[in-house]
Amino acid sequence: MTPMPPSRAMAMATRDSGAVAMAAVTDPSELDRLEFISALRGDATSDVYAGKLAKVEEFLREGATRGQIISELGNGSEAFNSVPTAIYLFLANAGDFQRTVVEAASLGGDADTIASMSGGIAGALLGSSGLPAGWLERLERRTELERLASDLFFLHVRRTLGGRCEMCFSEESVWAYKLDEAGGNDISNFILLCRSCRSEMEREKEGLFARPRKHGKYRAVYRKAHKRA
């Protein structure tokens, strides 16, 4: 197989990542397909891509056959012939990861690329609990992939929160920790702690979260932990 030129790969990754980012912050029960595609159209940077996304919206409203998807959206390796197709298949099958991937894989052409992109968007929307259990059981290098995904997410949290320990303001060995394990993955449910402060917090955790102190190096952590109370 001929390697994809770097410029083409970059264009594809950039356009697909916008859809992934939007899906990741969308509640599956609140997904509005037309609002989703409208937002992507607003960010389109080329006439060709904008035209393809307009066709995606038309197909979402009126439906499309397999032949129309291939002829109008494409199934090639070029970004403008694959990313819009992946986005359409995700939105047309929203809430069903397996149908999205299977339909993408059945289009022919650069099917593996389109299936991976549409599946990636659907996975960002649904989370790991929305993936077929049987597929996960047979996934090669599953443990490594899950670790990488977790590391990538926590890196995002770390950068979003500023990169400093919220107790001692150190930038060494800082990582993100959940305030409430049952509280989900919203950024507000995380704090940044260095290794030593994390250990100290664990030793005093029962008292730490029982009542907020008004002074000392725990002030920032208390303020964040109790602001929702």
Side-chain angles (χ1 to χ4, degrees):
M1 180 180 294
T2 303
M4 183 182 297
S7 59
R8 182 179 297 173
M10 181 65 73
M12 186 178 298
T14 300
R15 289 162 182 167
D16 181 50
S17 65
V20 171
M22 285 180 56
V25 297
T26 300
D27 186 322
S29 65
E30 298 178 358
L31 175 66
D32 185 310
R33 302 186 307 167
L34 296 179
E35 283 188 6
F36 193 99
I37 192 61
S38 178
L40 290 177
R41 288 183 63 186
D43 291 335
T45 57
S46 73
D47 292 341
V48 173
Y49 190 56
K52 288 292 185 78
L53 293 182
K55 184 61 68 173
V56 168
E57 183 171 340
E58 177 185 324
F59 284 173
L60 289 173
R61 293 180 183 277
E62 302 177 5
T65 65
R66 179 177 182 275
Q68 287 176 311
I69 295 171
I70 294 173
S71 63
E72 299 288 342
L73 299 181
N75 64 347
S77 61
E78 303 87 356
F80 63 86
N81 277 329
S82 55
V83 176
T85 307
I87 292 171
Y88 169 72
L89 293 174
F90 156 68
L91 291 173
N93 296 287
D96 193 320
F97 178 89
Q98 185 167 333
R99 282 181 56 190
T100 297
V101 173
V102 170
E103 187 171 344
S106 70
L107 283 181
D110 196 9
D112 56 341
T113 296
I114 296 172
S116 67
M117 288 192 293
S118 60
I121 304 170
L125 174 74
L126 300 171
S128 59
S129 62
L131 307 185
W135 289 17
L136 288 175
E137 291 171 1
R138 297 192 298 271
L139 180 63
E140 294 182 4
R141 302 169 67 181
R142 175 182 176 180
T143 300
E144 179 183 356
L145 291 171
E146 289 179 337
R147 178 184 60 78
L148 290 172
S150 178
D151 287 351
L152 183 61
F153 172 74
F154 282 111
L155 179 61
H156 161 67
V157 173
R158 185 178 186 275
R159 288 180 173 177
T160 301
L161 295 180
R164 292 176 178 267
C165 174
E166 295 192 32
M167 289 186 180
C168 68
F169 307 110
S170 170
E171 295 183 0
E172 298 295 326
S173 301
V174 175
W175 202 240
Y177 297 94
K178 278 189 174 182
L179 288 167
D180 180 2
E181 287 298 329
N185 288 329
D186 188 90
I187 292 293
S188 64
N189 190 38
F190 288 86
I191 56 174
L192 297 183
L193 298 172
C194 67
R195 185 176 302 171
S196 61
C197 287
R198 169 66 175 179
S199 298
E200 188 171 348
M201 192 187 81
E202 284 296 324
R203 289 195 296 270
E204 300 192 20
K205 189 171 184 179
E206 185 174 346
L208 177 66
F209 290 100
R211 60 186 184 281
R213 298 177 183 177
K214 296 182 179 179
H215 60 278
K217 70 176 183 178
Y218 294 112
R219 183 183 303 159
V221 177
Y222 284 126
R223 183 169 61 248
K224 191 163 189 176
H226 292 275
K227 70 180 180 180
R228 299 188 301 273

